[in-house]
Amino acid sequence: DGKVSSVSVQQLIEQISCMNKAKMIDHVGGMEEGAYEIYNCVEKIIKQDILGCEMTDLEGKDLGNKEDSTAPEEEVFGDVLWDAHDEQEQMEAFQQASNSTCELGFEKYFERLNDLVAAPAPIPPLLVSGGPGSGKSLLLSKWIQLQQKHSPNTLILYHFVGRPMSTSSESALIIKRLTLKLMQHSWLVSPLTFDPAKLLEEFPRWLEKLSARHQGSIIIIIDSIDQIQQAEKHMKWLIDPLPVNVRVIVSVNVETCPQAWRLWPTLHLDPLNSKDVKSLISAECNSANVKLTKEQEKKLERHCRSATTCNALYVTLLGKTIACVGNTGNIDEILQQCCQCQDTVSLYRLVLRSIQESLQNDKEKDLLREILCVIGVSHNGVSESELMELYPELTSAMLASLLHSLHKMCLLTYGCGLLKFQHLQAWEMVKLEYMEARENVISAYRQKLVEYFTMQLRVLIFICFSFNSQDRVTWRSADELPWLFQQQGDKQKLHKCLLNLFVSQNLYKRGHFAELLSYWQLVGKDKSSMAAEYFDSLKEYEKSSEGEESMICLADLYETLGRFLKDLGLLSQAVAPLQRSLEIRETALDPDHPRVAQSLHQLAGVYVQWKKFGNAEQLYKQALEISENAYGAEHPRVARELDALATLYQKQNKYEQAEQLRKKSFKIRQKSARQKGSLCGFALLRQRALQLEELTLGKDTSDNARTLNELGVLYYLQNNLETAELFLKRSLEMRERVLGSNHPDCAQSLNNLAALYNEKKHYDKAEELYEKALDIRRRALAPDHPSLAYTVKHLAVLYKKMGKLDKAVPLYELAVEIRQKSFGPKHPSVATALVNLAVLYCQMKKQIEALPLYERALKIYEDSFGQMHPRVGETLKNLAVLSYERGDFEKAAELYKRAMEIKEAETLLIGGKATSRHSSSGDTFSLKSALSPNTLLEHGQR
């Protein structure tokens, strides 16, 4: 009832209130609501303060959609696609591998591993071999911990391979992840191929190049390398001579080690001796307060002498089994049963049967079977919530009890929030127990998962169309459905699934390029027909796209397709979707929005590969200008554009220009790295909790005011407008106190607040603030300064939106003048400004003034891009409309025909005739007037 229930609770609340790092949730209501509040709060703390990921309001409200909250991949690695789930899975695998408290006499092995690191080069990889469950993963993880502690300058890259056929065993993903980790630690951001064959071919060159940059040794460790599909073929770089400061350690099972690798130096794990066996079993029994007699200890010691009963996993499982029944059952009886199990699989079977016997009825036993089988036939595991939806009769209490037993007895574990088998032997036992020689049983469980994830897909797409949700397909649907169709051999359904644009986008954007390509190869499609089918699907989707959110999503899909085709080497087909993405973003968002810079950057990348360096340079420079205006001159996004330009100049042998840009980029990255504190890990953003505390308690300084402005922009981009307004107002007030009300930084805060009010449709407030910002910038800045142009343009657009066309005209004219001073009279940016002014004159029925502006813009576009560029086509279309309105029908028909020829030529590149309602040349056609611009804020510019 909202009252404190006891004195002890009151004391607890008082204690919490005094603590600096505690969070109290004050909640009145039902238990489920309270649990929901707590879950949201804990999730937010983990994501924001520990991992440093951005968190939107939507994520805070919707428990069902937690997967895609990682920082945008371009932030950290330029054009490289990075999957936070893969990285998280590896971190958890490492922690799980190092979980044992017993060292098992590993000291002698540690010495051998240390000798390898110290040995003079060249040296082949070291093979750590042993039987299944012999402790190879435990040994390697413990040694990694020691190395990290005692050799901080040594860079250790590890990968723990899980179950065969799982994502962790895909060779292309492993190599991509190792390459990205190397790039991350050497501050190098360069284009990286996603073609699986090229990726494997180029890895040794990357290793050579990046090892030269690293001050210290590099150790690469791959555990269970023999579980990788076609390991010998895909890991052939291992037989090449390694760079002098690189050492490689791989672990294998004795039975499955490729023949060619058996010649390498080998560290074989011996069976456990009687002392280690006793130590392991005692540790398990002591944890459960179970005491064994001397006779029982001797019996166990005699039993654990064969090769299959004296490995670490078997003995650990044996100890857990005895400890589990020790206080409630007959130890001698369970000991007798254990002694009949001559290998780990049979011991797991005994464990399973003891869990079955502990269940109350047949219904619970059936659910236990269902849980284990459905996890077994999945690609990467199943989550608890998915199990609850798959089996509605499964209660939370029942599931919690089952999972506790299965986890405790080493059958199941968690990885990325999914339940999966802890060891291969556990899955082998489940197959023998429930599925032996019954292929139809496996098919039935796969079909159950197919039906479930298909339903999830339909629900998500319905939500997408009903509520404009951006998270249309979760990583779970994308991971499981195509793989399940592949396992079923159902090419027709796999084909249909791949043509779901959001499934393919999800796989590609998480870097699962090789997997996506293998699915297409299975359905028998070559690269060109695959490209054409994707483009046809996109055109169909575009017909139903209405409203700003849908158009922004459509632009993302076009960009993904363009990048995918570029990675496939289909450069001519990649241009059209990337160009379409650029057109939509320019129109639906704003020509200076960061996403427009992203489109320009991607399109430039195609032209670089196509060796059209002039086109690429122009696009990169435009992207650089937008990024500097949006984020400030010292932002990592600016460094990305500088790097791209430097690489371009290097390809043209312009080494001096390239070197200058690289130095500038390096300084930005260096400063950014210092601010983030560390380059280790996959999401290295500053902890906002500490920052906010400092801002709240700290003094008025220009740096604090700038940080408040940056936080305001962050919240604005997350669509949290109320919080954004709070921070932007505080930034403005602090700047006025510290710097004076006429300082250019105050103009930045005014500009950002104006953009926010414009978004909220408070146009009068926005107008007042834009006018103040313009007044300050006119007095403080050079006539061609980008920040002045920025405010001029946005105030002009606002005047136009408010119907104040006479006030807008001089600002549009000034925008043309500024661009001419900044870029010269023949730059495409000048043409865009001319088109915007011409459109305004047309709205004012001043066609005579508009005509020469359109004609001059057309000439600039033709000279810059060639006569068949989409922007030329759009401008011809505008001129055709103008000629028609003036009664010159013959000229209108001629211009319109030329425009249509350009459009047809553009769409034929990709294999279809797309009709477009949108313009890329300014404010011309219907979409721009139909949608309110998501006006960009300036981020951190001084």
Side-chain angles (χ1 to χ4, degrees), residues 170 196 229 379 482-483 486 491 494 498 507 512-525 530 564 568:
E170 289 176 14
Q229 300 147 36
H379 188 198
W483 185 85
Q486 181 192 46
K491 295 182 182 180
L494 175 59
L498 292 173
L507 283 169
H512 291 223
F513 178 89
E515 187 181 344
L516 188 55
L517 203 54
S518 70
Y519 293 144
W520 276 104
Q521 286 166 350
L522 184 69
V523 297
K525 298 287 180 181
M530 175 181 67
F564 184 47
L568 287 169

Side-chain angles (χ1 to χ4, degrees), residues 198-252:
K198 286 184 182 174
L199 194 64
L200 294 166
E201 185 185 312
E202 289 177 9
F203 180 70
R205 290 197 286 274
W206 277 108
L207 192 58
E208 184 76 48
K209 185 177 179 181
L210 298 171
S211 64
R213 288 168 168 260
H214 183 71
Q215 302 297 315
S217 298
I218 297 174
I219 301 173
I220 298 174
I221 297 170
I222 304 177
D223 180 50
S224 301
I225 193 170
D226 49 324
Q227 300 299 330
I228 295 171
Q229 300 147 36
Q230 295 180 293
E232 201 169 356
K233 174 186 172 185
H234 295 310
M235 295 287 147
K236 59 185 178 186
W237 59 272
L238 288 168
I239 61 175
D240 296 332
L242 297 166
V244 290
N245 60 335
V246 175
R247 300 289 181 271
V248 175
I249 302 169
V250 297
S251 75
V252 293

Side-chain angles (χ1 to χ4, degrees), residues 327-508:
N327 289 320
T328 55
N330 186 327
I331 293 180
D332 286 325
E333 185 182 334
I334 195 67
L335 208 55
Q336 187 63 36
Q337 292 173 2
C338 288
C339 287
Q340 291 170 10
C341 302
Q342 294 302 313
D343 57 38
T344 308
V345 172
S346 58
L347 187 56
Y348 261 128
R349 186 173 256 176
L350 177 65
V351 167
L352 179 64
R353 286 176 183 166
S354 68
I355 294 172
Q356 288 172 332
E357 287 167 13
S358 70
L359 300 177
Q360 295 176 359
N361 51 50
D362 289 341
K363 179 187 170 184
E364 289 188 2
K365 290 176 184 176
D366 289 343
L367 285 169
L368 171 65
R369 182 190 66 238
E370 294 293 306
I371 288 168
L372 291 172
C373 289
V374 88
I375 290 170
V377 300
S378 68
H379 188 198
N380 289 313
V382 181
S383 73
E384 290 182 33
S385 60
E386 287 164 355
L387 285 172
M388 298 281 283
E389 289 171 354
L390 280 161
Y391 301 101
E393 67 273 28
L394 185 62
T395 64
S396 298
M398 196 190 302
L399 180 62
S401 176
L402 284 171
L403 294 183
H404 173 71
S405 300
L406 293 167
H407 188 264
K408 181 181 170 185
M409 298 308 294
C410 300
L411 273 119
L412 296 183
T413 186
Y414 290 88
C416 287
L418 301 178
L419 289 157
K420 47 187 76 176
F421 288 102
Q422 194 159 330
H423 298 282
L424 275 174
Q425 292 91 327
W427 169 224
E428 289 296 325
M429 177 275 297
V430 168
K431 283 195 286 187
L432 287 170
E433 185 73 8
Y434 295 127
M435 301 177 178
E436 189 176 14
R438 286 181 285 176
E439 186 60 36
N440 62 320
V441 176
I442 295 175
S443 297
Y445 283 114
R446 280 185 184 142
Q447 186 56 33
K448 190 173 185 70
L449 282 177
V450 162
E451 288 167 6
Y452 171 76
F453 284 112
T454 302
M455 183 191 70
Q456 293 295 306
L457 211 53
R458 287 182 191 139
V459 170
L460 286 161
I461 290 170
F462 169 75
I463 290 170
C464 134
F465 284 115
S466 304
F467 306 107
N468 281 329
S469 166
Q470 290 189 14
D471 298 309
R472 289 163 174 77
V473 173
T474 66
W475 65 290
R476 293 292 298 129
S477 304
D479 265 4
E480 294 293 334
L481 255 186
W483 185 85
L484 287 163
F485 288 137
Q486 181 192 46
Q487 296 303 302
Q488 289 181 327
D490 194 332
K491 295 182 182 180
Q492 191 177 353
K493 286 183 180 174
L494 175 59
H495 188 205
K496 188 178 176 184
C497 181
L498 292 173
L499 287 176
N500 181 312
L501 298 165
F502 301 110
V503 169
S504 295
Q505 183 189 47
N506 190 292
L507 283 169
Y508 175 77

Side-chain angles (χ1 to χ4, degrees), residues 15-171:
Q15 284 177 331
I16 289 169
S17 301
C18 298
M19 290 173 68
N20 187 31
K21 298 284 181 190
K23 172 75 176 174
M24 182 163 65
I25 301 166
D26 192 359
H27 176 259
V28 179
M31 286 191 292
E32 286 190 6
E33 286 178 6
Y36 186 88
E37 288 286 328
I38 292 164
Y39 186 102
N40 277 343
C41 182
V42 174
E43 181 189 40
K44 203 168 182 180
I45 289 167
I46 290 168
K47 285 185 175 179
Q48 289 189 331
D49 299 340
I50 298 174
L51 299 180
C53 300
E54 302 302 344
M55 182 103 166
T56 63
D57 281 350
L58 180 67
E59 289 176 294
K61 292 172 188 169
D62 179 13
L63 285 182
N65 207 357
K66 305 182 291 297
E67 291 86 359
D68 298 314
S69 61
T70 54
E73 66 275 359
E74 288 84 11
E75 279 289 352
V76 186
F77 291 115
D79 296 329
V80 176
L81 301 168
W82 176 260
D83 187 7
H85 295 289
D86 292 346
E87 187 60 23
Q88 183 185 339
E89 183 180 47
Q90 284 304 308
M91 291 163 71
E92 290 176 2
F94 172 70
Q95 288 161 2
Q96 182 190 315
S98 59
N99 218 9
S100 172
T101 51
C102 297
E103 296 294 342
L104 304 177
F106 279 168
E107 289 80 8
K108 60 182 178 183
Y109 301 131
F110 290 157
E111 286 177 20
R112 179 74 189 279
L113 291 168
N114 291 338
D115 289 343
L116 169 85
V117 175
I123 185 167
L126 176 73
L127 207 63
V128 176
S129 74
S134 57
K136 300 182 291 293
S137 303
L138 175 63
L139 168 68
L140 292 175
S141 59
K142 292 285 186 185
W143 185 71
I144 289 169
Q145 288 177 332
L146 287 172
Q147 285 293 312
Q148 288 171 336
K149 184 178 177 182
H150 299 301
S151 306
N153 290 332
T154 299
L155 173 58
I156 301 178
L157 307 177
Y158 58 79
H159 189 92
F160 287 80
V161 179
R163 201 176 83 187
M165 305 291 286
S166 68
T167 301
S168 67
S169 69
E170 289 176 14
S171 55

Side-chain angles (χ1 to χ4, degrees), residues 504-554:
S504 295
Q505 183 189 47
N506 190 292
L507 283 169
Y508 175 77
K509 291 194 85 169
R510 288 167 43 229
H512 291 223
F513 178 89
E515 187 181 344
L516 188 55
L517 203 54
S518 70
Y519 293 144
W520 276 104
Q521 286 166 350
L522 184 69
V523 297
K525 298 287 180 181
D526 63 17
K527 292 177 181 180
S528 295
S529 54
M530 175 181 67
E533 287 191 33
Y534 270 138
F535 201 69
D536 288 340
S537 294
L538 261 173
K539 286 189 288 182
E540 282 301 309
Y541 179 73
E542 184 166 1
K543 289 175 186 176
S544 61
S545 295
E546 293 179 5
E548 187 173 357
E549 286 291 327
S550 290
M551 294 309 296
I552 292 167
C553 164
L554 179 65

Side-chain angles (χ1 to χ4, degrees), residues 145-314:
Q145 288 177 332
L146 287 172
Q147 285 293 312
Q148 288 171 336
K149 184 178 177 182
H150 299 301
S151 306
N153 290 332
T154 299
L155 173 58
I156 301 178
L157 307 177
Y158 58 79
H159 189 92
F160 287 80
V161 179
R163 201 176 83 187
M165 305 291 286
S166 68
T167 301
S168 67
S169 69
E170 289 176 14
S171 55
L173 281 177
I174 295 169
I175 295 300
K176 187 200 76 172
R177 179 178 170 270
L178 294 175
T179 306
L180 294 186
K181 297 292 277 184
L182 282 166
M183 288 168 69
Q184 185 183 15
H185 283 275
S186 61
W187 295 5
L188 185 66
V189 178
S190 299
L192 185 68
T193 179
F194 286 133
D195 185 313
K198 286 184 182 174
L199 194 64
L200 294 166
E201 185 185 312
E202 289 177 9
F203 180 70
R205 290 197 286 274
W206 277 108
L207 192 58
E208 184 76 48
K209 185 177 179 181
L210 298 171
S211 64
R213 288 168 168 260
H214 183 71
Q215 302 297 315
S217 298
I218 297 174
I219 301 173
I220 298 174
I221 297 170
I222 304 177
D223 180 50
S224 301
I225 193 170
D226 49 324
Q227 300 299 330
I228 295 171
Q229 300 147 36
Q230 295 180 293
E232 201 169 356
K233 174 186 172 185
H234 295 310
M235 295 287 147
K236 59 185 178 186
W237 59 272
L238 288 168
I239 61 175
D240 296 332
L242 297 166
V244 290
N245 60 335
V246 175
R247 300 289 181 271
V248 175
I249 302 169
V250 297
S251 75
V252 293
N253 281 333
V254 175
E255 301 87 352
T256 53
C257 178
Q259 193 62 40
W261 297 359
R262 294 175 188 263
L263 301 173
W264 294 345
T266 302
L267 172 62
H268 187 76
L269 267 62
D270 299 324
L272 297 183
N273 58 39
S274 56
K275 181 185 172 186
D276 291 335
V277 169
K278 185 177 178 181
S279 170
L280 257 179
I281 293 173
S282 297
E284 294 295 341
C285 291
N286 291 340
S287 67
N289 293 318
V290 171
K291 193 74 178 169
L292 298 177
T293 64
K294 293 283 185 189
E295 186 59 37
Q296 288 166 342
E297 285 180 353
K298 284 181 181 177
K299 192 172 185 179
L300 284 170
E301 189 184 324
R302 284 195 299 273
H303 173 63
C304 297
R305 283 180 179 171
S306 70
T308 55
T309 60
C310 64
N311 66 67
L313 177 58
Y314 183 94

